């Protein structure tokens, strides 16, 4: 099992450029998440998807869009990158509470370091 | 809105000593889950311990234990016999019934040899 994979690992963008961060999990989890991590701010939730076909805003959704392509994949898109979006981005997955089984812990990908100049 | 507060941005502890990291949260739910995660310099997020709110017994995992005070909305992590490998960022996290998971800002733990 690969767990949660993210691509790319590093990316440099110019202001105004767009890009999509890809995330996939092979654990058959219903719930998937996108976070950004900035120094002194912890992990802030951007968007999450409690199940295939649903997405919901987190704490800092502005400037981002997501797509839950299928049960395995959850992508994050920056339509017009800004320097304020320079951050480390983490994707995570877990069983949904509705599954009534499991530990409900999150499994994280290795992160993507994004720099916007 | 749910919030998770870690009031100690940094802490230091002598090797082999005990340290407690604090976490408080705000919620109107009666059933939920709480977690502590560790993030070493590798950046990988590692689950340390979890607690189910409906269980009164405090969770323990080897040298790691929690003090869960539901009425006070407090969820502190105690690390006993601290080791150099425990040096990391520690994050407290709260999971709501709608599967939304919120993290605190973290506590950086230094282990002094």
């Amino acid at each position: 099992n690969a767990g949660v994979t993210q691509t790319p690992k590093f990316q440099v963008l110019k202001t105004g450029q767009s890009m999509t961060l890809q995330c996939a999990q092979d654990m058959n989890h219903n719930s998937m998440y996108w976070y950004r991590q900035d120094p002194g701010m912890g992990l802030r939730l951007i968007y999450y998807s409690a199940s295939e076909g649903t997405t919901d805003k987190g704490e800092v959704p502005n400037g981002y869009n997501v797509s839950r392509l299928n049960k395995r994949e959850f992508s994050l898109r920056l339509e017009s990158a800004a320097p304020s979006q320079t951050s480390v981005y983490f994707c995570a997955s877990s069983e949904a509470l509705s599954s009534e089984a499991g530990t409900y812990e999150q499994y994280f990908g290795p992160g993507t370091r994004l720099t916007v100049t | 809105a749910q919030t998770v507060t870690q009031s100690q941005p940094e802490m230091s502890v002598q090797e082999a000593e005990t340290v407690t990291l604090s976490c408080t949260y705000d919620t109107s739910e009666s059933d939920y889950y709480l977690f502590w995660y560790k993030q070493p310099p590798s950046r990988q997020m590692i689950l340390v311990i979890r607690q189910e709110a409906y269980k009164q017994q405090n969770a323990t995992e080897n040298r790691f234990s929690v003090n869960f005070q539901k009425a006070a909305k407090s969820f502190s992590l105690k690390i006993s016999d601290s080791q150099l490998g425990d040096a990391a960022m520690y994050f407290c996290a709260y999971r709501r019934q709608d599967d939304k998971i919120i993290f605190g800002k973290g506590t950086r733990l230094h282990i002094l040899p």
Side-chain angles (χ1 to χ4, degrees), chain A residues 9-86:
Chain A
K9 286 190 168 48
F10 301 93
Q11 184 71 49
V12 178
L13 291 178
K14 293 188 188 309
T15 297
Q17 288 185 318
S18 62
M19 79 161 295
T20 300
L21 280 65
Q22 306 286 355
C23 174
Q25 51 91 10
D26 61 3
M27 294 171 282
N28 202 37
H29 287 161
N30 280 315
S31 300
M32 296 187 74
Y33 306 80
W34 276 106
Y35 293 91
R36 60 177 289 173
Q37 183 176 20
D38 304 291
M41 299 299 292
L43 277 81
R44 291 183 291 173
L45 182 64
I46 304 171
Y47 273 93
Y48 71 110
S49 171
S51 62
E52 186 179 355
T54 68
T55 60
D56 287 286
K57 295 179 180 179
E59 303 164 274
V60 289
N62 291 345
Y64 305 95
N65 285 301
V66 290
S67 296
R68 184 74 183 265
L69 304 169
N70 48 56
K71 193 171 186 178
R72 289 187 64 249
E73 298 172 288
F74 188 42
S75 62
L76 178 71
R77 182 160 178 83
L78 287 70
E79 290 291 352
S80 179
S84 60
Q85 294 178 304
T86 293

Side-chain angles (χ1 to χ4, degrees), chain B residues 42-61:
Chain B
S42 67
R43 217 166 63 190
Q44 185 62 41
M45 295 288 286
I46 303 165
L47 178 70
V48 174
I49 201 164
R50 62 187 287 269
Q51 176 78 43
E52 300 163 68
Y54 66 88
K55 288 188 176 179
Q56 292 184 335
Q57 187 173 5
N58 289 327
T60 63
E61 286 287 342

Side-chain angles (χ1 to χ4, degrees), chain B residues 31-73:
Chain B
D31 195 16
Y32 45 87
Y33 289 80
L34 297 162
F35 304 86
W36 277 98
Y37 284 88
K38 170 185 178 181
Q39 187 183 43
S42 67
R43 217 166 63 190
Q44 185 62 41
M45 295 288 286
I46 303 165
L47 178 70
V48 174
I49 201 164
R50 62 187 287 269
Q51 176 78 43
E52 300 163 68
Y54 66 88
K55 288 188 176 179
Q56 292 184 335
Q57 187 173 5
N58 289 327
T60 63
E61 286 287 342
N62 300 316
R63 298 183 295 108
F64 298 87
S65 61
V66 299
N67 183 4
F68 174 50
Q69 302 288 330
K70 190 173 184 180
K73 298 178 184 175

